[in-house]
Amino acid sequence: MPVRRLATVASTILLVAGLAASPSAAEPIPADQLRQRAFAAAAAEFGVPERVLLGVSYLESRWDTNGGTPSTSAGYGPMHLTDLRAAGGGTHHDEGGEDPRGDSARSPLLPQAPPAPEPKPELQTVDLAAELTGTDPATLRADPAQNIRGGAALLAHYQHGLGHDTGSPADWYGAVARYSGAAESTAAAAFADEVFAVIANGQHRRTDDGQRMRLAADPGIVPARDQLAELDLRIPDTSEVECPQEISCEWIPAPYQELPGNDYGNHDKANRPEDQQIEYIVIHDTEGYWDTALRLVQDPTYVSWHYTLRSADGHIAQHVPTRDVGWHAGNWHVNAKSIGLEHEGFAAQGTWYTEAMYRTSAKLVRHLAEKYDIPLDRAHIIGHDNVPGTVPNRVPQMHWDPGPYWDWAHYFDLMGAPFAGGKVRPGSHLLEIAPEFARNRPEFFGCDRDNPTARCPSRGSGSVVLRTEPRPDAPLLTDIGLHPDGSPATMRVSDIGSRTETGQRYAVAEVRGDWTAIWYLGQKGWFHNPPYAPRAHTVRGSMVVAKPGLGPVPVYGRAYPEAGAYPEGRPPQQIVPLQYELPQGQRYSAGWRGQSEYYAATTFDPAEHVVVRGDTRYVQIQFGHRFAYVKAKDVLVLPALR
């Protein structure tokens, strides 16, 4: 950077801090207020209203630095300056060979490798920021203060390009919309509207690296939304979308197409909820960038899901009507009763999810949950990592996205369904996993595909790891589905064999000092849960326990009907237990309870599809990291009162 530029920046920082006027009266800036001052300095340097700069940054990163690592859309730092060259192309990383349909009546459908992403301006904003500031891209990525300067320079550049040089925050609507990088008018507008909602309501929080940040509320602000017309953006097709009005959605259909060899793709026609109740909303990540995901879902020979969400601005594409069944969860019973949302991202690479995507996803899920009467809890709003394998040999092939860095607590806060409860004590019945995301940082490894034994970036996580004894150096538990030889689970980021996730509920097995044990895969799993840093709280609910005298109870990956329920000409699906058992005396949190069901849909003609229902009833339980099913006749359902 030129010396003159450095001097200008230094003077600006001193002036904003109020230190230049009287050196003798100067007081040091508190260490936890440096970022707030950096925003003020950058705003002054580039002539951007400070509240606009703060609002844009909040919607991208919530003012966090994320240790200088990229987001799921290659964005760095508080201002989400994008650099696809540095972030890399992304791949299907450390995922199993899951059959996304998960239907034993059909041959497995194996996933494809995604094509490499194409460089686009919205994925390379760091170059323009470097040109405008005279700061090299590496520094813009890694240095929070310089990153903020880069974002301010971009906003000022967009504002000047539109010919709006006013200092009023309300007149920066067009520049904010341009900052989103969206090519769609609705997406740019939704991003800008959300930024100005943040400005109107105000925000304050402590960042992931301990900085205290505040944006004072400005409830009277009226943004100049008419500036959107100046951006000349495309108007997307919204003809078939099922989304709330306040978010940006477009219709990009997945093909329902007949293929050679009596085959078809890439989803199944249905008539939900009239014929089948929708019980689950499944949260996935794409393991590829936005354009890659759109290319794959439009391939008639590939798989499908209902919605894709873009990271940088939260824009949504709907591909399959919610009445129809997508091929996304690797378990046909869950597919037939769920809606699948794919979020642009990579489960294992230590990347982070943007606030813009969290917000639009939360609004969409809340809308769908209200429409289909789906409870807003973690027994029904589930990750792909919670979905069980259908039969024993499918268990190790199941995917585990969205991974340990998805912030379930913040997500449910945005949906208006926060996790809350009391202190876990001896005698407590049921608990809900709820660590403080930013401070909870398990030491996983395996995020770097070029160095698979290296530790993952130190990042906030919703995961709580379990141990065989109440001490930090005790071995992890054993998941015989993932480790058939009986060896303990590991801290590999993809190994969920001894791991819980925020919002999941488990029965309390024991409390000993600052340690709490839960029942998990037939074992007692311990985690550190001190009063000064609790990782769980008590809740009310229901638990199941094996009926006395039955011995270990079989556990299933799908809730299928008995053979006698199938009509003539429909081969019965086998009811195959998984490799796990529910032992006598152990309790597990209960979720969905209902009638057995199988959607027989193996032909292109929807008129030949039929829903088979049996007399067998099942109860969903939180058995390990994934849920499972037990037959209602094998268990008692008990209340958890405290």
Side-chain angles (χ1 to χ4, degrees), residues 310-609:
R310 191 163 63 200
S311 172
D313 56 7
H315 180 59
I316 298 172
Q318 183 173 358
H319 313 294
V320 177
T322 57
R323 66 175 178 272
D324 293 337
V325 177
W327 301 347
H328 59 94
N331 182 314
W332 184 243
H333 180 75
V334 174
N335 279 341
K337 302 179 77 62
S338 70
I339 297 169
L341 277 62
E342 289 276 2
H343 298 75
E344 186 178 20
F346 307 91
Q349 292 184 10
T351 51
W352 49 279
Y353 298 92
T354 65
E355 178 69 1
M357 187 164 66
Y358 274 126
R359 288 191 170 214
T360 56
S361 182
K363 289 178 180 179
L364 176 60
V365 169
R366 187 174 59 213
H367 169 79
L368 295 171
E370 290 175 356
K371 180 177 180 179
Y372 293 113
D373 196 26
I374 301 171
L376 287 176
D377 61 41
R378 290 283 280 114
H380 297 83
I381 312 302
I382 60 176
H384 196 173
D385 57 330
N386 306 142
V387 178
T390 53
V391 293
N393 68 340
R394 289 292 177 185
V395 169
Q397 300 171 351
M398 298 298 290
H399 288 188
W400 51 276
D401 56 296
Y405 305 120
W406 179 267
D407 192 345
W408 288 103
H410 180 53
Y411 193 47
F412 272 72
D413 283 347
L414 291 172
M415 286 189 278
F419 302 130
K423 180 180 178 181
V424 178
R425 296 181 172 89
S428 295
H429 290 166
L430 193 67
L431 61 75
E432 187 171 70
I433 301 297
E436 185 179 347
F437 185 86
R439 296 187 181 183
N440 182 54
R441 298 179 176 233
E443 294 184 348
F444 298 119
F445 69 90
C447 292
D448 185 347
R449 61 180 177 267
D450 296 323
N451 188 5
T453 62
R455 283 186 179 180
C456 296
S458 178
R459 182 182 307 293
S461 173
S463 298
V464 172
V465 176
L466 302 176
R467 300 192 177 273
T468 54
E469 298 178 37
R471 52 185 177 86
D473 59 345
L476 304 184
L477 303 183
T478 296
D479 183 338
I480 59 172
L482 300 180
H483 301 274
D485 62 356
S487 60
T490 70
M491 290 298 290
R492 179 174 292 279
V493 69
S494 59
D495 189 343
I496 59 172
S498 189
R499 187 188 307 172
T500 63
E501 203 66 46
T502 295
Q504 292 180 333
R505 294 182 170 190
Y506 297 89
V508 179
E510 187 179 350
V511 177
R512 193 183 303 174
D514 289 345
W515 288 78
T516 298
I518 58 173
W519 295 117
Y520 185 99
L521 294 176
Q523 303 158 81
K524 189 182 285 188
W526 292 90
F527 64 97
H528 196 224
N529 189 37
Y532 56 85
R535 290 177 171 84
H537 51 239
T538 57
V539 290
R540 294 189 176 189
S542 299
M543 307 174 294
V544 302
V545 61
K547 284 184 177 178
L550 285 185
V553 167
V555 174
Y556 302 89
R558 51 194 184 183
Y560 277 177
E562 66 279 4
Y566 290 79
E568 185 177 352
R570 300 284 180 173
Q573 295 296 299
Q574 291 186 331
I575 302 177
V576 181
L578 298 178
Q579 51 269 74
Y580 313 105
E581 292 180 321
L582 191 161
Q584 277 284 333
Q586 296 186 10
R587 296 167 294 162
Y588 291 86
S589 176
W592 169 86
R593 284 173 267 179
Q595 188 178 14
S596 53
E597 190 173 280
Y598 172 68
Y599 186 41
T602 59
T603 60
F604 181 69
D605 184 0
E608 298 179 5
H609 300 176

